[in-house]
Amino acid sequence: MLAVHEAWKAGLLGRKHWLRNLVAGLVVGVVALPLAMAFAIASGVKPEQGIYTAIVAGLLVSLCGGSRLQIAGPTGAFIVILAGVTAKHGVDGLQIATLMAGVILLCLGIGRLGSIIKFIPDPVIVGFTAGIGVIIWVGQWKDFFGLPAVTGEHFHERFWHLLQALPHLHPTTTLLAVTALLLVIFAPRVPGLKKVPGPLVAMLVVTAIQALFQFDGVATIGSAFGGIPQGLPSFGLPDITLPRILELIGPAFAIAMLGAIESLLSAVVADGMAGTKHDSNQELIGQGIANIAAPLFGGFAATGALARTATNVRNGATGPLAGVFHALTLLLILLFLAPLASDIPLCALAAILFVVAWNMSELKHFKRMVQRAPRADVAVLLVTFLLTVFSDLVIAVNIGVILAMLLFMRRMAGSVAVQQVVEQELEAELGGQGHAHLPAGVLVYTIEGPLFFGAAETFERVLAQTHSDPQVLVIRLKRVPFMDITGIQTLEEVIEQLHRRGIRVKLCEARGRVLGKLGKVGILQTIGAENYHADFRAALDSLRQEAPPAVAGA
């Protein structure tokens, strides 16, 4: 359901809610301003494009998303992907990739695949977010210390060149950057400034210092980008061609997947803070619409911003009106205060990103997971982290998810047990119903756990190598929640092998879904209708009633 429609039904769009949401929207808009510019510059585009993105995406996600409290805009998680796309394909390529990502997100939401994103394992998420944090931190050294531009295609090359350039740092730039960093961290602890966002304090103070003294050699938005245009963003369609689509399909999927993960994580956090419940599919639809529209107005990729969403909730937001007011706040700043941005030092924005990188790294959570998690999960965490930093985010997430899936399948396969039912178990289960002993020539096996391709080898090995050849083998399927095609084929092969050895097979207690699959592939026809029983006791009763006496005895 649309967040705005849900809020309307709940009465959250009434006038009595306007003031609270207006205050929350103003605060979040002010918080979003320096972040939007910083993320834009780090992504390789102009600072005003970050503001355009926050306005367009923030408005549309608030109106069309599935979380009534979500605040969307450019985020730090995207920096690594977007900077790479911009460097290789230009700003036009970045906007095409964003538009394609929007279409992908829209399709995911319409296809009701929002819940699937939630199954990405925590070690993978923590690994790649920590890796992104490291890349952002190192990537801001140039502006933070006023270093000359460095080259290098890979992280380790750029890192080494930055280390070599550190002795040539610009003292004034570094001093302003350290001042900004301290203000971001400690300003909220100062009485009277607790409710003022640290990034805003840092940007205003350092900008005022630079505007007053006009230090030589300090890079500013004005010197680097010519300032921020005053006025509304213009509509424009990127030059979309088939070759461009084909070369950008990989980055587009990466943007879509990362955007889906981050937006849904942010929505979950908002639910936990405010006691709401989001619609994951509608949230993806809203994110898709936002990412289709943002590049048409000069913006780029956006998603749910966790820190801004949390700020929104903490400041009393009750519905999507806060997100609308957040977008309007940024629009008014753009229209009336844009010329003042020329003196904003890039080192101040770099200091803000230092803190963003630290928060993204989740060092305490990372350390705790390394100390407490099983070794296999720690391996997934470290592999994802190292691949994110030294290789590529898309490769890191893909390999991390694949490793986690293989680990899960190994654990699931290990949990599947194929056990022979002994007389003591039978007496404990059915002794009071006249079934304390098995008929002669009968063995009973119970399968516990899903019979899928990972467990097929265990099942085949145990059943195909019974200690002695009975006349009848009864297989209990009560504790099999599902079977895949490999498990079904393995069961069929084992039955055929047992038949060739002269052993009759009976199946019993299959669940409805499993029974349907057995009938569909023809296994029930292979063993014969008389050899399937819905109840284990019925299977034993049928054996006692059958000839020859060797089976019916006891």
Side-chain angles (χ1 to χ4, degrees):
M1 181 184 292
L2 283 173
V4 69
H5 183 249
E6 181 192 12
W8 175 76
K9 288 180 63 179
L12 297 175
L13 302 185
R15 289 189 177 182
K16 65 179 181 179
H17 292 280
W18 283 23
L19 181 59
R20 294 180 64 184
N21 287 286
L22 175 62
V23 172
L26 286 171
V27 173
V28 177
V30 170
V31 171
L33 178 65
L35 294 176
M37 292 190 292
F39 293 145
I41 293 170
S43 300
V45 297
K46 296 179 179 180
E48 64 265 24
Q49 292 182 272
I51 302 175
Y52 299 160
T53 303
I55 293 172
V56 176
L59 178 64
L60 290 175
V61 168
S62 293
L63 295 177
C64 304
S67 170
R68 67 173 70 161
L69 298 171
Q70 182 83 282
I71 300 294
T75 67
F78 275 144
I79 288 175
V80 178
I81 297 177
L82 304 188
V85 174
T86 306
K88 188 174 181 179
H89 303 284
V91 176
D92 198 52
L94 173 61
Q95 292 178 327
I96 295 173
T98 299
L99 199 153
M100 292 167 61
V103 174
I104 294 170
L105 286 166
L106 192 62
C107 292
L108 289 175
I110 293 173
R112 309 195 66 78
L113 298 177
S115 59
I116 294 178
I117 305 296
K118 301 176 184 178
F119 294 111
I120 295 180
D122 201 36
V124 177
I125 294 175
V126 173
F128 81 70
T129 52
I132 291 171
V134 170
I135 295 173
I136 293 173
W137 176 60
V138 174
Q140 294 306 304
W141 285 14
K142 173 185 173 296
D143 290 333
F144 190 93
F145 297 107
L147 303 176
V150 298
T151 58
E153 182 178 354
H154 301 289
F155 173 83
H156 66 277
E157 296 172 340
R158 295 190 299 273
F159 181 60
W160 177 245
H161 291 158
L162 285 168
L163 287 176
Q164 291 178 315
L166 273 179
H168 307 290
L169 59 82
H170 189 267
T172 307
T173 298
T174 304
L175 185 60
L176 288 174
V178 172
T179 302
L181 182 61
L182 293 175
L183 287 170
V184 173
I185 298 171
F186 295 108
R189 304 181 189 180
V190 177
L193 293 178
K194 291 182 179 180
K195 294 187 177 182
V196 183
L200 179 65
V201 174
M203 187 183 73
L204 292 178
V205 170
V206 175
T207 300
I209 294 173
Q210 173 60 22
L212 180 62
F213 295 100
Q214 293 294 318
F215 296 114
D216 292 333
V218 175
T220 64
I221 287 181
S223 64
F225 301 99
I228 293 179
Q230 187 174 14
L232 297 173
S234 58
F235 179 87
L237 187 67
D239 185 18
I240 302 175
T241 61
L242 182 58
R244 296 282 269 171
I245 291 175
L246 294 177
E247 68 180 358
L248 290 168
I249 190 67
F253 266 103
I255 293 170
M257 292 301 102
L258 187 56
I261 294 169
E262 189 167 7
S263 65
L264 294 179
L265 285 176
S266 179
V268 169
V269 170
D271 288 346
M273 294 178 67
T276 56
K277 185 175 179 60
H278 75 281
D279 182 333
S280 57
N281 295 310
Q282 186 60 48
E283 180 63 22
L284 293 185
I285 291 174
Q287 296 290 341
I289 293 171
N291 280 280
I292 291 172
L296 301 180
F297 292 93
F300 54 94
T303 186
L306 200 153
R308 275 158 276 173
T309 299
T311 302
N312 190 40
V313 178
R314 291 193 192 104
N315 283 276
T318 60
L321 280 176
V324 174
F325 288 135
H326 141 265
L328 292 177
T329 299
L330 289 171
L331 182 61
L332 292 174
I333 292 173
L334 184 67
L335 291 176
F336 298 105
L337 302 178
L340 301 179
S342 294
D343 286 322
I344 297 176
L346 298 186
C347 62
L349 300 180
I352 293 171
L353 288 181
F354 266 28
V355 177
V356 170
W358 170 261
N359 293 334
M360 285 191 66
S361 68
E362 293 187 279
L363 184 60
K364 291 182 180 179
H365 189 24
F366 190 98
K367 182 180 178 181
R368 192 183 310 119
M369 188 173 289
V370 170
Q371 292 173 336
R372 300 180 181 180
R375 291 182 179 179
D377 290 318
V378 173
V380 172
L381 170 70
L382 295 178
V383 167
T384 305
F385 171 76
L386 293 173
L387 286 174
T388 300
V389 174
F390 294 104
S391 179
D392 179 80
L393 177 64
V394 179
I395 294 174
V397 173
N398 287 340
I399 292 180
V401 170
I402 291 171
L403 288 176
M405 288 173 59
L406 293 174
L407 175 63
F408 172 76
M409 287 186 289
R410 190 186 73 175
R411 289 169 174 166
M412 286 290 291
S415 69
V416 177
V418 183
Q419 299 177 335
Q420 182 180 349
V421 177
V422 296
E423 294 281 348
Q424 293 88 338
E425 294 176 358
L426 188 66
E427 184 174 359
E429 182 180 357
L430 301 174
Q433 303 176 30
H435 295 292
H437 302 284
L438 287 174
V442 175
L443 287 180
V444 178
Y445 277 86
T446 298
I447 304 175
E448 297 186 10
L451 190 55
F452 71 113
F453 63 91
E457 189 272 336
T458 300
F459 167 72
E460 185 175 19
R461 184 183 67 252
V462 174
L463 283 188
Q465 297 177 358
T466 54
H467 297 296
S468 59
D469 280 0
Q471 292 178 337
V472 179
L473 182 68
V474 180
I475 301 175
R476 303 183 68 179
L477 302 173
K478 181 179 181 179
R479 297 174 181 172
V480 178
F482 69 86
M483 287 184 177
D484 71 357
I485 187 60
T486 305
I488 292 171
Q489 290 176 345
T490 302
L491 176 61
E492 189 173 24
E493 292 170 3
V494 168
I495 291 173
E496 291 175 355
Q497 292 171 9
L498 293 172
H499 282 175
R500 285 196 294 268
R501 290 162 56 184
I503 302 172
R504 183 155 60 99
V505 177
K506 276 183 173 288
L507 303 177
C508 63
E509 302 178 294
R511 300 185 183 186
R513 182 180 297 180
V514 173
L515 182 62
K517 292 182 179 180
L518 296 177
K520 185 175 181 180
V521 300
I523 288 181
L524 296 182
Q525 290 83 346
T526 299
I527 63 174
E530 71 279 4
N531 287 315
Y532 175 76
H533 300 273
D535 186 75
F536 179 46
R537 289 166 296 184
L540 296 182
D541 287 337
S542 71
L543 289 171
R544 287 191 170 89
Q545 296 168 5
E546 292 173 1
V551 174

